[in-house]
Amino acid sequence: MSYNLLKGKKGIIFGALDENSIAWKTAIRVHEEGGTFVLTNAPVSIRMGQIDELAKQTGSQIIPADATSEEDLQNLVEQSMEILGGKIDFVLHSIGMSINVRKGKHYTDQNYAWTQKGTDVSAMSFHKVMQTLYKADAMNEWGSIVALTYMAAQRVFPDYNDMADNKAYLESVARSFGYFFGRDKKVRVNTISQSPTPTTAGTGVKGFDGFIAYAEKMSPLGNATAMDCANYTITLFSDLTKRVTLQNLYNDGGFSNMGVSDAVMEAFVDYQ
């Protein structure tokens, strides 16, 4: 169902790879709500994914950009404003990568060159994106910037590895830069802490099926899907949340406030 929440709004969506991506689902929902946008991803991800199909579905243009490159980001922002016909109302940062996870390196035996690359892609890129937008004065007042995160930034999930550190850094950047963006430009910056979601990136984490099953049993409403996250993101892009900023917002079926659930206890205790 469409509510026209984003009619006339323009933006940039980072990170759509395939139809399993949260960014992909968000792009579909933005389009349904009347928003227009530019799609962007790293050139290698564009070659590997199916973003051309998404562009056709939503009538969007694709601008390849390495989010770790200031030059690429400057070009992205300039071209986006030309294509969209003015300043930007919303941005989704849906980017994350850990070579240590991908290569099976344990957290206690990291390859630090890989760690640094992962931090640059997963967290520092968010600062670079916002700094580029800020310096270019590219955002409209009451615009909204959202990045996706995970609860491993606050709690230990052993196999999430250095991505947990990246997400903690990402959330800190959102708060710190969000202050200046709010004070100076009246722009909101928030993160959404999503349930474990079977995206292409997420399923690369060791023990991911266990993450999902455990979270499902712990959460009173069950795990939030990629489409649930897209819908939540839409509300943050809309004018309905004009004074929500500097927040890490949980979209996890209640998992974040649970200590234990009956379903989890039943796996360990034989009730008489």
Side-chain angles (χ1 to χ4, degrees):
M1 181 181 292
S2 173
Y3 304 91
N4 274 332
L5 289 177
L6 302 180
K7 186 177 181 180
K9 293 192 180 295
K10 307 176 290 289
I12 302 173
I13 295 178
F14 287 80
L17 181 67
D18 56 36
E19 62 183 5
N20 296 316
S21 305
I22 292 173
W24 184 294
K25 306 285 190 190
T26 303
I28 296 292
R29 289 294 292 118
V30 169
H31 178 65
E32 290 172 350
E33 294 295 337
T36 56
F37 49 86
V38 164
L39 294 164
T40 186
N41 212 330
V44 64
S45 296
I46 289 174
R47 290 194 299 271
M48 291 171 56
Q50 295 115 39
I51 196 171
D52 287 339
E53 180 185 331
L54 178 63
K56 289 176 185 175
Q57 285 185 41
T58 59
S60 305
Q61 292 192 43
I62 303 166
I63 303 176
D66 177 351
T68 69
S69 164
E70 293 174 72
E71 182 180 352
D72 277 16
L73 290 173
Q74 287 166 7
N75 178 64
L76 170 65
V77 170
E78 289 170 6
Q79 283 197 45
S80 296
M81 292 174 71
E82 288 179 13
I83 290 167
L84 297 170
K87 291 188 178 183
I88 294 160
D89 299 293
F90 60 85
V91 175
L92 175 65
H93 180 282
S94 180
I95 305 170
M97 184 272 293
S98 167
I99 303 174
N100 283 307
V101 169
R102 192 180 298 164
K103 299 286 190 179
K105 292 289 284 183
H106 196 269
Y107 187 75
T108 60
D109 183 33
Q110 291 190 35
N111 177 318
Y112 289 119
W114 294 351
T115 303
Q116 188 170 10
K117 179 65 175 176
T119 299
D120 202 18
V121 171
S122 305
M124 182 65 78
S125 66
F126 191 40
H127 193 287
K128 290 178 180 179
V129 167
M130 288 198 284
Q131 180 168 289
T132 304
L133 292 163
Y134 181 91
K135 286 186 173 182
D137 194 24
M139 297 290 295
N140 279 318
E141 284 196 354
W142 305 112
S144 176
I145 301 172
V146 174
L148 301 184
T149 186
Y150 181 55
M151 196 177 177
Q154 288 83 33
R155 300 187 188 177
V156 177
F157 290 82
D159 292 324
Y160 205 63
N161 208 309
D162 57 330
M163 276 303 298
D165 302 330
N166 295 338
K167 292 301 188 185
Y169 186 8
L170 178 86
E171 292 175 19
S172 179
V173 167
R175 290 187 296 270
S176 297
F177 214 119
Y179 166 73
F180 296 105
F181 238 140
R183 184 195 69 181
D184 300 337
K185 313 284 188 180
K186 294 292 185 289
V187 171
R188 298 162 278 158
V189 180
N190 296 286
T191 54
I192 294 177
S193 188
Q194 168 71 4
S195 294
T197 309
T199 62
T200 301
T203 52
V205 177
K206 180 184 174 184
F208 189 77
D209 289 345
F211 274 15
I212 290 183
Y214 173 70
E216 180 71 23
K217 288 184 177 295
M218 278 287 287
S219 308
L221 296 180
N223 289 330
T225 66
M227 186 56 78
D228 290 331
C229 189
N231 285 324
Y232 197 9
T233 303
I234 294 305
T235 69
L236 292 174
F237 286 167
S238 80
D239 291 334
L240 299 177
T241 52
K242 286 178 71 171
R243 296 251 174 2
V244 179
T245 195
L246 311 186
Q247 302 301 309
N248 182 44
L249 300 161
Y250 291 97
N251 186 50
D252 62 1
F255 179 90
S256 50
N257 272 327
M258 291 296 295
V260 72
S261 69
D262 292 338
V264 169
M265 287 295 290
E266 285 169 4
F268 296 97
V269 177
D270 183 16
Y271 286 109
Q272 300 300 319

